Amino acid sequence: MKWNDALRLCNHWLPLWTGNQPDELIKVYSPNVFYRDQACPAGIQGRDALLKYLRKLLAAFPDWVWKSEDIFPVENGFVLR
């Protein structure tokens, strides 16, 4: 992924996490998404299951603010710090 493409995606994606907008955030993910974080180490498969998780997660942390400090493009995407 090119740096400009990664930046454009982050500029769209991160505010959706910050703004506690799970119904908009889920639109960024593909229908067959596999999502994993520390709270669900086994992962979550599929958009419907992820939306349910995101609704609970974002409701529990409504004041989260996410921003990009740096973007590192890699072959199939990017790493965000």
Side-chain angles (χ1 to χ4, degrees):
M1 178 175 268
K2 294 180 181 177
W3 189 86
N4 285 341
D5 296 331
L7 180 62
R8 188 175 19 256
L9 175 60
C10 286
N11 286 340
H12 174 71
W13 176 59
L14 288 177
L16 298 174
W17 278 94
T18 298
N20 191 12
Q21 304 173 67
D23 295 302
E24 291 299 315
L25 176 58
I26 198 66
K27 294 175 185 176
V28 177
Y29 294 91
S30 69
N32 64 344
V33 61
F34 179 78
Y35 175 90
R36 181 176 15 206
D37 68 23
Q38 293 177 345
C40 55
I44 297 170
Q45 182 69 51
R47 193 183 273 168
D48 291 339
L50 181 57
L51 178 57
K52 183 177 178 182
Y53 174 75
L54 291 173
R55 284 178 175 156
K56 289 181 182 181
L57 179 67
L58 295 178
F61 299 98
D63 296 328
W64 265 351
V65 174
W66 292 90
K67 60 183 180 177
S68 172
E69 292 183 8
D70 212 343
I71 298 172
F72 305 94
V74 295
E75 184 176 339
N76 293 315
F78 61 92
V79 176
L80 175 65
R81 180 178 70 148

